């Protein structure tokens, strides 16, 4: 067959898949690896619901072929929580009501997670610019911005008022 | 009281900003949406779609597709016809092709379904299906629909001069719906000192939920039972329809709406994808998944609006409105699949007298067919209230301009006064409660309205800069509805709740609605917590599984709080009544001696003689009064006596760049009054989302068709979904005017911000042009179109 062996790590675990060269990473994650947190919201690479972290960068996994991921390190929403529980960004989305239907949420979280590593103290304008690759239909974004700012404060060790 | 508030915080009850129970699974990727479902042996179905807007189908060649390894079936109308499933009934009382039956009537219409091992092979096979078409002239302009020589779109209706909503006078005429007193209204207009008239288009847009429509159909041949997991806002209605269509008894049809990635009215009706996937599963005996892509979603599922409206107001010279006349040409596409209560083909458009005491009115809506996708009611419209609100709020501004009156002043002058409620409107609704003056004045003060008007004047006179101030003071009508006049395909529009208290005081409760992100799993628990004095954290709320949840009509029209919210409170009160009897038994006192403490019962005037609800729950399973059924549970099917009528006062300030037409929203202030507020945090989130949609609709969204019937802009390449960069910041506020007829005084609110937001944005744009004699420009107010207005006025030339 024309299938290709691809090896990479997802959330720290080594995986091995056999895929057609045309298979999109989002489908490999969702259908083969059963990591169904990342979602599909469009076919023109706009919505960012499929955002995962690939070798230290936020990528839209509907726009990456799985065969391009040989040797890559991937992180998905399922890998954000650590042994001590939720990542502060996940907790902040709950506290600030940064989600409703939850469909954009995995992509938002993975993107916000990378943003806060690149820029631990982003302004509101920076958050809005840096997360503009992620569409949301429910929240009007305001509480997502608040969530990211709250998590940033939390991660910097600053006091955060109870929401 | 302070004590009630403290208890509410402790229990997670009504009024507190309770964090959502839904969130835990969604933030960890553990939601359960339709496309997450995998079943053993599951196949994937997808559609061959029409490239033509209007054409006869001469032949469909399946051979090459069927020869492709991994392809199991290619279904066409011929395969569905023996089951009489090549057409299906719609909520509007019309019928719609499931697969093209001899012709296609809109571009991207479903022609054949390919069923294959997976979606990649299905996509390949679709390309191999060859369809021979004979193009026909396309009809896209609704104003030409009823021309004598207009193309016949619906050959199947030939000779039928009676439709589901009365006489049809032309082959493309769907219905004419009238309400109000025509002659009296005409007289008011003939005699009035001042009349104004304006034509306006509410453009075709789309709700575009981030998750598209889809399903997994799974027919079990051994048991003769059908399970369908699908993106449905009204799963019980789907079960009834599927049973009627398939002949399978309802008890053997298991419809399940799992987590839904947003609905916004897009997921109310039944789409061909659900039907064909189900047929394919029945034929092949294997599960079949169908998941549409974004372009298919935007171009073939329920659109919103497309009302071509003429509004008229009659008034005295000093601005007292005497009459309203409205004519609408409604473009419904090729099949009337407009989701409405069956007696209301134009929805609740007759709320178009708005927040104003207008004694005489008449409205008429004519629906027509065109070569476009079906739909109409969707996208937080509350059954055409968006259109009604846009009409009256634009007309109020038009009248103010004509009279030289301030746009706030004319509203304050004509508002229905608080003491007039319950208020019977000229077009037949009885508004439950309202205090519009207080709301508008609060907003004007918060935003310094007078100061803004001065600034607007100065900006133009001193700097030549354009600023617009938009006002919208709307009245919503939500909570359909009383079964005497509201039904969906014959099922009265009640809703339901079933609450079961376990021996240890935790609760499982289910409702007949279906959340798509509105937080029902959190907020219904809050209602029960307050009614029963048990902590919300131990209350599980479920919806969507028709085997387990009580029958309900679903979630749309902001009806969940008014109807199932009421049912929840009423069911809880039945439980509390029984609990009181048990408490009296336990305490060996008369029921009459007991009073509710918020968490149990105490003997009147004796605070230390108390029994709490967990104690009562335990007793319900082992120590009930003689003759009483054991257990502690109740069901309520709630038939609302009326709708609820939330209202709001919105203000928008924007600045327009004269040279580019680009608009910057400087401020948007939204006051909503939805009566008793169950969870302020969740209401605010609903408002933010609805306002962002309103911004999208007013400022950029549209789904145009060209003269050949090609749908344009139906992908995220063009369809304007704001990102964080474009979306304005929102300020929210509230007043509380409870609904007197609702068990907890709560009104719906989910759609208010969309309904009220759009005219507010549009009024702000139009307000910026008032001084140049412009009364109305159509949406969307994107940069190009605003620039065109600037250009026509010569304002875009640099000095």
């Amino acid at each position: 067959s024309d299938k290709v062996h691809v090896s990479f790590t997802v959330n720290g675990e080594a995986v091995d898949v056999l895929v057609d060269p045309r298979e999109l990473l989002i489908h490999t994650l969702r259908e083969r690896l059963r990591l169904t947190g990342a979602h599909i919201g469009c076919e023109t690479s706009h919505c960012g619901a499929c955002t995962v972290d690939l070798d230290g960068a936020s990528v839209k996994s509907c726009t990456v072929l799985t065969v391009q991921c040989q040797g890559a390190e991937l992180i998905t929403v399922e890998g954000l929580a650590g042994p001590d529980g939720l990542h502060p960004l996940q907790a902040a989305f709950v506290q600030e009501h940064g989600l409703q239907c939850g469909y954009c949420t995995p992509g938002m979280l993975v993107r916000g997670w990378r943003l806060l590593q690149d820029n631990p103290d982003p302004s509101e304008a920076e958050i809005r610019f840096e997360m503009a690759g992620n569409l949301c239909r429910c929240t009007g974004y305001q509480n997502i911005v608040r969530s990211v700012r709250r998590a940033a404060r939390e991660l910097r060790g600053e006091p955060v008022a109870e929401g | 009281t302070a004590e009630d508030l403290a208890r509410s915080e402790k229990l997670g009850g009504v009024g507190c900003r309770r964090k959502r129970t839904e969130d835990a699974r969604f933030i960890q990727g553990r939601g359960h949406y339709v496309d997450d479902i995998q079943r053993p042996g599951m196949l994937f179905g997808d559609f061959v779609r029409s490239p033509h807007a209007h054409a006869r189908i001469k032949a469909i060649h399946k051979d090459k597709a069927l020869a492709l390894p991994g392809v199991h079936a290619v279904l066409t109308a011929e395969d569905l016809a023996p089951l009489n499933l090549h057409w299906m009934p719609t909520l509007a009382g019309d019928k719609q092709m499931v697969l093209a039956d001899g012709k296609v009537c809109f571009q991207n219409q479903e022609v054949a379904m390919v069923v294959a091992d997976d979606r990649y092979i299905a996509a390949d096979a679709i390309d191999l299906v060859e369809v021979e078409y004979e193009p026909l002239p396309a009809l896209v302009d609704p104003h030409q629909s009823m021309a004598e020589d207009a193309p016949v779109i619906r050959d199947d209706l030939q000779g039928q001069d009676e439709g589901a909503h009365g006489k049809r006078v032309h082959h493309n005429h769907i219905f004419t719906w009238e309400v109000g007193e025509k002659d009296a209204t005409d007289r008011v207009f003939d005699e009035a000192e001042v009349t104004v008239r304006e034509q306006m288009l509410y453009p075709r847009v789309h709700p575009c939920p981030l998750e598209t429509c889809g399903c997994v159909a799974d027919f079990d041949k051994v048991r003769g039972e059908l399970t369908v997991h699908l993106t449905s806002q009204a799963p019980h209605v789907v079960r009834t329809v599927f049973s009627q269509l398939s002949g399978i008894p309802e008890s053997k049809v298991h419809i399940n709406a799992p987590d839904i990635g947003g609905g916004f009215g897009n997921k109310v009706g039944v789409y061909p994808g659900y039907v064909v996937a189900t047929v394919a599963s029945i034929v092949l005996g294997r599960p079949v998944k169908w998941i549409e892509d974004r372009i298919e979603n935007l171009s073939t599922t329920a659109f919103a609006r497309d009302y071509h409206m003429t509004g008229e107001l009659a008034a005295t010279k000093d601005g007292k409105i005497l009459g309203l006349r409205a004519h609408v040409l409604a473009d419904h596409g090729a099949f009337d699949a407009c989701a409405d209560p069956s007696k209301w083909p134009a929805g609740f458009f007759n709320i178009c007298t708005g927040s104003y005491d207008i004694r005489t009115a008449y409205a008429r809506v004519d629906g027509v067919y065109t070569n476009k996708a079906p739909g109409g009611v969707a996208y937080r419209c509350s059954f055409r209230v968006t259109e009604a609100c846009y009409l009256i709020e634009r007309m109020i501004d038009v009248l103010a301009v004509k009279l030289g009156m301030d746009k706030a002043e004319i509203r304050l002058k004509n508002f229905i006064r608080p003491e007039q409620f319950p208020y019977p409107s000229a077009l037949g609704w009885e508004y439950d409660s309202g205090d519009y003056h207080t709301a508008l004045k609060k907003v004007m003060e918060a935003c310094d309205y007078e100061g803004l008007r001065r600034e607007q004047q100065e900006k133009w006179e001193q700097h030549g800069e354009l600023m617009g101030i938009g006002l919208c003071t709307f009245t919503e009508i939500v909570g359909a509805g009383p079964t005497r006049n509201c039904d969906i395909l014959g099922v009265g529009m009640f809703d339901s709740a079933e609450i079961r208290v376990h021996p240890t005081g935790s609760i499982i409760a289910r409702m007949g609605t279906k959340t798509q992100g509105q937080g029902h799993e959190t907020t219904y628990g809050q209602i029960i917590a307050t009614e029963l004095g048990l902590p919300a954290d131990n209350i599980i709320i479920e919806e969507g599984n028709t085997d387990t949840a009580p029958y309900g009509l679903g979630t749309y029209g902001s009806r969940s709080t008014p109807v199932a919210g009421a049912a929840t409170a009423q069911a809880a009160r039945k439980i509390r009544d029984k609990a009181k009897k048990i408490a009296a038994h336990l305490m060996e006192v008369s029921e009459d001696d007991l009073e509710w403490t918020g968490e149990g019962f105490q003997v009147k005037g004796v605070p230390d003689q108390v029994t709490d609800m967990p104690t009562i729950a335990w007793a319900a399973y082992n120590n009930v009064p003689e003759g009483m059924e054991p257990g502690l549970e109740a069901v309520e099917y709630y038939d609302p006596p009326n709708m609820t009528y939330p209202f709001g006062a919105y203000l928008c300030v924007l600045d327009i760049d004269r040279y580019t037409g680009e608009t910057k929203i400087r401020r948007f202030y939204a006051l909503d009054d939805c009566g008793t507020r169950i969870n302020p945090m969740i209401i605010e989130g609903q408002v933010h989302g609805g306002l962002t949609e309103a911004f999208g609709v007013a400022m950029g969204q549209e789904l145009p068709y060209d003269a050949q019937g090609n749908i344009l802009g139906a992908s995220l390449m063009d369809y304007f979904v704001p990102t964080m960069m474009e979306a304005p910041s929102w300020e929210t506020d509230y007043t509380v005017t409870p609904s007197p007829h609702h068990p907890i005084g709560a009104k719906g609110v989910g759609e208010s911000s969309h309904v009220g937001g759009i005219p507010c944005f549009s009024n702000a744009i139009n307000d910026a042009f008032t001084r140049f004699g412009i009364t109305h420009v159509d949406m969307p107010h994107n940069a190009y179109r605003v620039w065109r207005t600037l250009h026509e006025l010569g304002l875009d030339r640099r000095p």
Side-chain angles (χ1 to χ4, degrees), chain B residues 298-600:
Chain B
L298 283 169
S299 60
T300 70
T301 64
F303 73 90
R305 322 298 140 84
D306 221 341
Y307 260 28
H308 300 243
M309 308 191 282
T310 303
E312 293 177 90
L313 287 177
T316 62
K317 274 188 229 157
D318 59 354
K320 176 68 195 151
I321 303 169
L322 303 173
L324 172 143
R325 209 158 45 187
H327 279 181
V328 178
L329 179 65
D331 183 343
H332 280 230
F335 310 99
D336 188 6
C338 187
D340 273 318
S342 66
K343 297 181 184 73
W344 303 89
F348 303 153
F349 182 76
N350 55 324
I351 194 77
C352 63
T353 51
S355 304
Y356 313 100
D357 184 13
I358 303 175
R359 293 302 170 92
T360 313
Y362 168 77
R364 168 182 170 145
V365 179
D366 296 292
V368 295
Y369 292 121
T370 56
N371 287 116
K372 302 176 190 175
V377 160
Y379 210 7
R380 276 186 162 118
C381 79
S382 313
F383 302 120
R384 300 291 188 187
V385 181
T386 33
E387 291 89 329
C389 176
Y390 189 78
L391 179 109
I392 183 65
E393 289 301 308
R394 282 272 53 245
M395 289 314 300
I396 290 278
D397 273 20
V398 169
L399 178 62
V401 170
K402 169 106 173 197
L403 295 170
M405 253 177 107
D406 179 80
K407 289 164 186 167
E409 187 193 338
I410 193 166
R411 287 173 163 81
L412 289 165
K413 187 178 182 99
N414 287 284
F415 276 152
I416 301 162
R417 296 183 310 279
E419 66 273 16
Q420 288 178 279
F421 294 91
Y423 172 83
S425 81
L427 294 182
W429 297 114
E430 186 178 280
Y431 299 13
D432 57 352
S433 63
D435 183 353
Y436 303 152
H437 295 83
T438 302
L440 178 55
K441 284 175 183 164
K442 196 173 181 195
V443 171
M444 289 169 72
E445 254 171 58
C447 301
D448 183 20
Y449 179 76
E450 301 302 327
L452 286 171
R453 284 289 176 208
R454 280 196 301 276
E455 182 189 351
Q456 183 183 35
Q457 187 77 6
E458 283 165 18
K459 274 212 147 162
W460 172 249
E461 286 172 359
Q462 292 172 20
H463 308 287
E465 290 173 5
L466 289 178
M467 168 177 161
I469 304 167
L471 286 176
C472 176
T473 47
F474 64 91
T475 296
E476 253 274 35
I477 168 169
V478 297
T483 57
R484 65 180 179 274
N485 60 9
C486 288
D487 68 274
I488 294 288
L489 295 176
V491 182
M493 292 185 75
F494 58 84
D495 222 292
S496 60
E498 186 180 289
I499 306 173
R500 183 177 308 156
V501 184
H502 301 132
T504 52
S506 67
I507 291 172
I508 175 87
R510 301 186 178 99
M511 289 78 190
T513 44
K514 176 59 208 174
T515 189
Q516 314 118 47
Q518 300 93 328
H520 293 180
E521 292 171 38
T522 301
T523 50
Y524 285 140
Q526 293 181 253
I527 297 173
I528 297 170
T530 290
E531 294 295 334
L532 293 184
L534 288 164
D537 284 349
N538 298 341
I539 302 171
I540 292 285
I541 303 292
E542 292 180 353
E543 299 167 298
N545 183 337
T546 55
D547 288 349
T548 54
Y551 200 110
L553 276 282
T555 292
Y556 43 83
S558 301
R559 64 187 299 281
S560 298
T561 293
V563 196
T568 301
Q570 298 289 63
R573 287 170 190 183
K574 287 179 184 169
I575 290 174
R576 203 163 81 187
D577 288 345
K578 179 170 179 179
K580 191 176 189 183
K581 291 185 168 63
I582 297 172
H585 167 71
L586 293 177
M587 298 165 84
E588 297 180 335
V589 295
S590 153
E591 244 191 281
D592 300 336
D593 295 333
L594 293 178
E595 65 187 4
W596 176 246
T597 65
E599 291 173 75

